[in-house]
Amino acid sequence: GSGVSFALMLLRLAVLQQPTSGNAVSDKSTGMVVEMLLEEKPQLVSSATTKSMAWCVLSNAVGSKNPPNWFDGLSESTNEKFLRLIDLALNDGNPTSDASSSQTDI
């Protein structure tokens, strides 16, 4: 619900302010967001707002100067996870898919 959305808003700010060297807390936190989306936990990402904030957190993490370890394209398992995220993001943004059918048109 809204508590998860607010937590994701704060996490997004933390990701934006992360140090230039490795940050295990940010890696773990953003990794949890990845798992939350990939496992499609309806109790955590039940609203379009929460899902949007999760995508914001991940886009900020991937675009940062020090991307998280789960984004390391050198490892086959992390590369597969990232490709699954891309597929999910495309599906979430597709207005004709079942996943986005609960969203209202603007």
Side-chain angles (χ1 to χ4, degrees):
S2 62
V4 175
S5 294
F6 294 140
L8 290 168
M9 285 181 203
L10 291 173
L11 179 57
R12 180 177 174 263
L13 294 174
V15 166
L16 288 171
Q17 296 298 319
Q18 72 176 333
T20 55
S21 61
N23 186 347
V25 173
S26 179
D27 282 349
K28 186 172 183 174
S29 299
T30 57
M32 290 171 61
V33 174
V34 169
E35 295 306 319
M36 182 175 68
L37 286 169
L38 290 179
E39 294 176 13
E40 296 185 24
K41 296 183 177 183
Q43 72 275 17
L44 296 176
V45 286
S46 59
S47 73
T49 303
T50 303
K51 204 173 249 194
S52 295
M53 284 309 306
W55 287 119
C56 284
V57 167
L58 297 183
S59 66
N60 288 142
V62 169
S64 70
K65 291 180 182 177
N66 186 30
N69 290 332
W70 56 261
F71 180 64
D72 178 13
L74 300 177
S75 146
E76 187 173 323
S77 65
T78 57
N79 190 28
E80 179 185 336
K81 186 180 287 188
F82 186 65
L83 292 175
R84 285 178 53 210
L85 276 174
I86 291 172
D87 287 342
L88 183 60
L90 290 171
N91 191 44
D92 280 352
N94 182 354
T96 61
S97 74
D98 290 338
S100 65
S101 63
S102 63
Q103 298 175 5
T104 57
D105 293 333
I106 297 177

